[in-house]
């Protein structure tokens, strides 16, 4: 059982869903990301998702787009993000998932990437522009390195393709809660509960976590009630970073306390 | 058509290139689009409706014009121009816009989104949206809105909403990102009317097929005029739609040399260019595996070209394949040479080309003199130059 699956198992056994927190690595600097990541874990985040900045993030809304721009301007590279994972893993056992668009990984080479990722303590990888049909070689290399490939499913996914995705996804399956891109939303999309129900109805399936637009403790509560086993919060955390660029200590405090409030909402 | 050449394959690949690298939300819409297209392309009523629109609305067939004075001036091969500048709305873009809009209508969509660089595809889309009663949103980079202001106004007059894109390089690449985001948000009622032979499968195939009317007409027209096929066929390459539409009907004719002309900008050595095939490398952008301009870490580089329509860091996957197979050759021509060619064609033939095909004109100005007088060149003049007069007058430094 992978580290990620184990966190799901243990967390669910103790009456909570898994809280996954996203930060763009290198926004505003790698060192700050390390400090913020530790604050999130102190606040109660169970799995850290570190984003690799990309010039053309088509699945992201304005908040993560701007964050990626800041991280790129600071010179953040894929290898730096892997090094950061390795540094974080020296003091924390928290599983780390890398989120990257495909091209930076392709450019490094799948094998080299997974060797580096494996030796940096990375537990899983999410690639928003890699659908299951194109993922065979990628998953093969991931498996060799003992890294989970986490696939996405969305409200538009057909039953047939959902089968393929649930069979291939490792660690958990990442459910996109809405039609569209990442970003803070006031309301939880009604699509979220529908796709969740469709996945929960399957007998053979990996753990299921919901992301995109999950922005508040209320959203988390609704998802817990809808049967989610994990929740992924991204833009809402990145927004805190963005709003406190000139005040790192306030940022750290807000990240910690927001994570703690989200954590409260993960109980079922 | 092309007997032995049947690409893309069932996975949307041209050899290694192509494929479908998009967020999961877009996978089913792409599959639906592929299925609808494959069903409709052979359906008689669909073909007939499109043919009538191409003829009576877009003004096809466009003429194949013998450029006599340009030929004499260069003193080599006979030069024919395929006059896509005379197609309705001023460029080849209308061929694809009509085809896809009909497809979208049959699929029950009520809204079109599009990206545009030079504004020609945006205008074509806004035009067919008006004609067929679609709501329409066009994304355009802030930089392109400034340099192609007339086209922005045309789109707005036609009733389209033009949305300014301020992210990234503020050009075509970023407009495509925004259009993809819009499509993912509104997939249920919206068709993404992609304007070049790029993007995820099935777009490179669909756009090629709708643009192949250019090459089919050239073939029939040159056979009628000269009794034989040309020796050299030339087109400019941004995303590659007018070029693939021109080349495709000739792929099996090994004696016809195919040359695509990319934007060399300020020179390949400066890095300020948009020549993905000549100066880029394989990578993944906008849902396709093809040649892209990228740095050593896989970040997409900003591009430069005097022509907004060529200012794009990727290229259609079929061109990557044709390059790799050696079936087509790709070259780069810079800003200066394109501007000079613009002026040459204007003065010798009274035809003002768009800056995009002016790059192709510049290329044949180099090669025509080295060819024999009974050799034949056909060049696709993909659009007219009205939209570029501001840039031209600025670049020529108030010369006129
Ligand atoms: C007149 C003209 N030619 C060429 C192009 C480049 O596109 P493509 O390479 O898809 O033909 C454009 C794009 O805007 C254009 O307006």
């Amino acid at each position: 059982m992978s580290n990620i699956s184990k966190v799901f198992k243990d967390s669910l056994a103790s009456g909570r869903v898994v809280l996954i927190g996203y930060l763009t690595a290198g926004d505003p600097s790698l060192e700050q990301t390390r400090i913020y990541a530790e604050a999130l874990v102190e606040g109660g985040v169970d799995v850290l998702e570190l984003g690799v900045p990309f010039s053309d993030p088509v699945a992201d809304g304005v908040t993560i787009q701007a964050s990626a721009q800041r991280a790129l301007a600071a010179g953040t590279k894929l290898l730096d993000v892997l090094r950061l994972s390795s540094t974080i893993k020296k003091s924390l056992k928290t599983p780390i998932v890398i989120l990257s668009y495909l091209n930076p990984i392709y450019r490094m080479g799948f094998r080299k990437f997974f060797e580096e990722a494996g030796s940096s303590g990375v537990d899983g990888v999410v690639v928003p522009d890699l659908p299951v049909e194109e993922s065979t070689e990628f998953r093969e290399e991931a498996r060799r390195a003992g890294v989970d490939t986490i696939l996405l499913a969305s409200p538009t996914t057909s039953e047939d393709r959902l089968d393929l995705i649930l069979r291939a996804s490792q660690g958990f399956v990442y459910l996109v809660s809405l039609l569209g891109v990442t970003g803070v939303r006031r309301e939880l999309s009604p699509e979220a509960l529908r796709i969740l129900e469709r996945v929960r109805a399957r007998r053979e399936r990996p753990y299921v976590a919901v992301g995109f637009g999950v922005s508040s403790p209320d959203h988390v509560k609704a998802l817990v009630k809808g049967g989610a086993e994990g929740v992924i919060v991204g833009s809402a955390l990145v927004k805190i970073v963005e709003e406190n660029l000139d005040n790192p200590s306030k940022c750290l405090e807000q990240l910690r306390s927001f994570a703690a409030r989200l954590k409260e909402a993960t109980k079922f | 058509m092309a007997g032995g050449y049947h690409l893309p394959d069932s996975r949307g690949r041209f050899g290694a290139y192509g494929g479908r690298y998009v967020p999961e939300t877009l996978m089913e819409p792409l599959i639906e689009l592929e299925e609808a297209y494959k069903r409709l392309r052979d359906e008689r009523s669909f073909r007939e409706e499109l043919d009538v629109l191409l003829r009576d609305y877009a003004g096809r067939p466009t003429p194949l014009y013998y450029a006599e004075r340009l030929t004499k001036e260069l003193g080599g091969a006979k030069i024919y121009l395929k006059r896509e500048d005379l197609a309705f709305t001023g460029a080849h873009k209308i061929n694809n816009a009509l085809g896809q809009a009909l497809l979208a209508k049959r699929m029950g969509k009520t809204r079109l989104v599009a990206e545009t660089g030079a504004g020609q595809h945006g205008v074509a889309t806004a035009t067919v949206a008006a004609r067929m009663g679609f709501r329409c949103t066009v994304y355009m980079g802030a930089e392109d809105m400034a340099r192609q202001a007339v086209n922005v106004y045309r789109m707005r007059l036609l009733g389209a909403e033009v949305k300014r894109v301020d992210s990234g390089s503020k050009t075509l690449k970023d407009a495509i990102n925004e259009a993809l985001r819009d499509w993912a948000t509104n997939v249920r009622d919206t068709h993404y009317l992609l304007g070049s032979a790029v993007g995820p499968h099935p777009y490179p195939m669909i756009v090629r097929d709708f643009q192949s009317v250019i090459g089919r007409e050239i073939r029939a027209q040159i056979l009628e005029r000269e009794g034989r096929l040309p020796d050299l066929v030339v087109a400019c390459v941004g995303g590659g739609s007018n070029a693939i539409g021109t080349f495709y009907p000739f792929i099996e004719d090994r004696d016809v040399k195919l040359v695509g002309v990319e934007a060399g900008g300020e020179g390949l050595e400066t890095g300020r260019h948009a020549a993905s095939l000549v100066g880029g490398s394989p990578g993944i952008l906008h849902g396709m595996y093809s040649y892209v301009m990228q740095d050593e870490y896989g970040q997409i580089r900003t591009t430069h070209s005097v022509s907004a329509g060529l200012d794009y860091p990727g290229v259609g996957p079929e061109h990557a394949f044709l390059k790799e197979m050696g079936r087509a050759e790709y070259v780069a021509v810079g800003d200066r040479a394109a501007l000079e060619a613009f002026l040459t064609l204007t003065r010798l033939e009274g035809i003002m080309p768009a800056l995009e095909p002016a790059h192709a004109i510049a290329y044949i100005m180099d090669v025509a003199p080295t060819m024999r007088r009974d050799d034949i060149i056909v060049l696709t003049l993909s659009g007219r130059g009205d939209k570029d007069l501001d840039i031209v007058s600025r670049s020529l430094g108030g010369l006129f």
Side-chain angles (χ1 to χ4, degrees):
Chain A
M1 177 174 267
S2 74
N3 287 337
I4 294 174
S5 308
K6 195 164 175 321
V7 164
F8 273 86
K9 183 165 172 269
D10 294 349
S11 184
L12 294 170
S14 69
R16 290 173 181 277
V17 311
V18 172
L19 178 59
I20 303 167
Y22 170 95
L23 292 172
T24 305
D27 173 23
S29 70
L30 287 160
E31 179 55 13
Q32 279 311 117
T33 303
R34 184 185 64 76
I35 294 167
Y36 293 161
E38 286 172 5
L40 289 181
V41 173
E42 275 173 42
V45 161
D46 302 300
V47 175
L48 282 168
E49 190 181 351
L50 295 177
V52 177
F54 182 52
S55 52
D56 294 86
V58 292
D60 287 302
V62 288
T63 301
I64 293 181
Q65 285 175 43
S67 168
Q69 282 302 314
R70 289 191 297 272
L72 284 174
T76 313
K77 317 272 193 288
L78 176 53
L79 206 51
D80 298 329
V81 183
L82 300 179
R83 298 274 137 79
L84 172 65
S85 310
S86 158
T87 309
I88 292 173
K89 279 286 175 118
K90 286 199 182 101
S91 53
L92 294 174
K93 285 209 193 58
T94 313
I96 293 181
V97 170
I98 296 290
L99 182 139
S100 175
Y101 286 85
L102 188 56
N103 201 48
I105 298 177
Y106 171 76
R107 185 75 187 177
M108 180 180 280
F110 291 170
R111 179 151 308 174
K112 173 150 192 278
F113 168 73
F114 279 110
E115 279 167 10
E116 296 280 351
S119 63
S120 305
V122 168
D123 297 283
V125 180
V126 181
V127 180
D129 56 348
L130 184 68
V132 63
E133 286 86 344
E134 306 283 5
S135 71
T136 313
E137 185 195 342
F138 186 92
R139 284 187 285 122
E140 194 52 46
E141 293 296 338
R143 199 171 301 121
R144 282 167 57 102
V147 175
D148 286 342
T149 303
I150 296 149
L151 296 175
L152 298 101
S154 105
T156 55
T157 305
S158 67
E159 290 302 306
D160 286 352
R161 294 191 59 265
L162 191 56
D163 276 341
L164 281 180
I165 292 165
L166 295 181
R167 231 176 293 135
S169 194
Q170 297 165 308
F172 63 94
V173 62
Y174 188 136
L175 289 195
V176 176
S177 78
L178 46 74
L179 293 180
V181 294
T182 60
V184 172
R185 307 287 201 285
R186 193 110 52 89
E187 306 282 336
L188 191 69
S189 160
E191 308 265 8
L193 299 178
R194 248 175 275 145
I195 175 78
L196 194 48
E197 205 169 307
R198 283 176 57 203
V199 173
R200 296 261 324 176
R202 305 297 176 110
R203 219 158 357 114
E204 297 252 346
R205 60 168 180 85
Y207 292 113
V208 49
V210 183
F212 277 49
V214 181
S215 316
S216 70
D218 281 347
H219 293 176
V220 173
K221 275 184 205 149
L223 290 170
V224 170
K225 214 168 138 212
E229 292 157 330
V231 291
I232 304 157
V233 180
S235 296
L237 297 173
V238 172
K239 232 181 154 75
I240 294 176
V241 173
E242 179 170 57
E243 283 164 1
N244 294 287
L245 286 172
D246 50 4
N247 196 343
S249 57
K250 186 169 157 221
C251 183
L252 189 145
E253 201 33 62
Q254 287 195 9
L255 285 170
R256 185 169 27 216
S257 64
F258 187 59
R261 287 203 296 130
L262 293 168
K263 183 73 169 187
E264 265 304 298
T266 60
K267 278 193 213 143
F268 56 83
Chain B
M1 228 271 323
Y5 184 91
H6 292 292
L7 294 176
D9 66 18
S10 60
R11 298 177 54 233
R13 298 272 174 174
F14 303 89
Y17 300 102
R20 206 175 248 162
Y21 297 92
V22 291
E24 175 59 27
T25 304
L26 294 179
M27 284 302 288
E28 302 289 344
L30 288 167
I31 292 167
E32 249 172 65
L33 178 62
E34 180 186 356
E35 286 170 355
Y37 174 67
K38 286 184 167 164
R39 195 171 61 244
L40 287 168
R41 70 178 165 192
D42 302 318
E43 207 174 272
R44 191 134 159 229
S45 69
F46 181 81
R47 286 251 46 111
E48 282 174 359
E49 193 176 356
L50 180 56
D51 286 347
V52 169
L53 282 168
L54 286 172
R55 187 189 68 205
D56 299 346
Y57 191 67
R60 303 207 71 89
T62 57
L64 185 69
Y65 168 72
Y66 172 47
E68 192 175 354
R69 293 196 70 213
L70 182 64
T71 299
K72 289 228 172 77
E73 173 77 15
L74 298 176
K78 282 179 91 167
I79 298 164
Y80 284 89
L81 303 178
K82 178 60 172 167
R83 298 290 307 275
E84 292 301 297
D85 60 318
L86 295 178
F88 183 44
T89 68
H92 68 292
K93 299 288 181 186
I94 192 77
N95 305 327
N96 170 54
L98 281 170
Q100 282 196 48
L102 269 190
L103 190 55
K105 198 171 87 178
R106 298 283 184 109
M107 292 176 73
K109 305 290 181 185
T110 56
R111 176 172 176 267
L112 302 175
V113 289
E115 81 297 339
T116 197
Q120 288 304 115
H121 174 60
V123 167
T125 304
T127 300
V128 300
R131 165 67 179 73
M132 298 187 198
F134 288 101
R135 286 175 295 132
C136 179
T137 300
V138 179
Y139 290 92
M140 190 169 189
E143 186 178 323
D144 291 338
M145 283 180 76
R147 59 178 163 172
Q148 310 274 222
V150 178
N151 275 342
V152 175
Y153 188 56
R154 288 169 80 193
M155 288 184 267
R156 289 186 171 146
L157 283 176
L158 286 160
E161 172 192 33
V162 181
K163 283 201 171 163
R164 176 193 161 100
V165 178
D166 276 306
S167 54
S169 57
K170 304 177 202 234
T171 59
L172 182 55
K173 163 180 86 84
D174 311 281
I176 296 180
N177 290 341
E178 262 333 297
L180 285 167
R181 291 178 185 123
D182 180 311
W183 194 32
T185 308
N186 301 294
V187 278
R188 300 239 154 93
D189 69 350
T190 297
H191 172 69
Y192 178 19
L193 209 163
L194 186 43
S196 193
V198 299
H201 180 60
Y203 281 106
M205 169 179 75
I206 291 180
V207 177
R208 173 198 70 195
D209 290 355
F210 286 139
Q211 290 294 2
S212 291
V213 66
I214 303 173
R216 283 197 306 272
E217 287 177 9
I218 291 175
R219 207 184 159 86
Q221 289 165 321
I222 200 75
L223 283 174
E224 191 188 310
R225 294 280 273 284
E226 295 280 352
R228 70 179 185 90
L229 295 179
D231 301 284
L232 173 63
V233 169
V234 182
C236 65
V237 177
S241 70
N242 89 87
I244 201 68
T246 301
F247 293 173
Y248 186 59
F250 293 102
I251 285 178
E252 300 260 287
D253 303 300
R254 296 283 151 172
D255 294 336
V256 178
K257 183 172 173 181
L258 308 173
V259 175
V261 184
E262 297 193 301
E266 292 173 4
L268 293 183
E269 66 293 344
T270 66
R272 285 181 52 75
H273 62 86
S276 328
L277 286 163
V278 177
S281 55
I284 295 119
L285 174 67
H286 294 150
M288 62 179 169
Y289 176 56
S290 187
Y291 274 66
V292 298
M293 300 219 353
Q294 56 185 326
D295 68 15
E296 61 183 300
Y297 304 104
Q299 302 294 337
I300 305 306
R301 295 200 356 216
T302 46
T303 51
H304 167 81
S305 169
V306 68
S307 95
L310 303 186
D311 202 351
Y312 176 63
V315 67
E318 195 161 11
H319 287 294
F321 175 72
L322 294 176
K323 172 191 159 89
E324 195 164 286
M325 299 309 287
R327 180 59 193 97
E329 192 183 308
Y330 297 87
V331 298
V333 161
D335 291 349
R336 270 243 69 77
L339 284 158
E340 281 163 20
F342 171 93
L343 206 52
T344 302
L345 194 69
T346 302
R347 289 298 170 91
L348 282 175
E349 299 286 353
I351 296 172
M352 271 181 219
L355 285 175
E356 289 82 11
H359 287 73
I361 301 281
Y363 168 74
I364 64 159
M365 284 169 60
D366 274 348
V367 302
T370 70
M371 295 170 69
R372 298 187 340 204
R373 276 160 199 267
D374 56 356
D375 284 343
I376 300 169
I377 299 175
V378 175
L379 181 150
T380 295
L381 196 74
S382 55
R384 67 178 190 221
D386 312 43
K387 69 183 176 64
D388 293 320
L389 297 189
D390 272 358
I391 301 167
V392 170
S393 92
R394 237 174 298 134
S395 307
L396 296 179
L399 215 52
F400 300 99

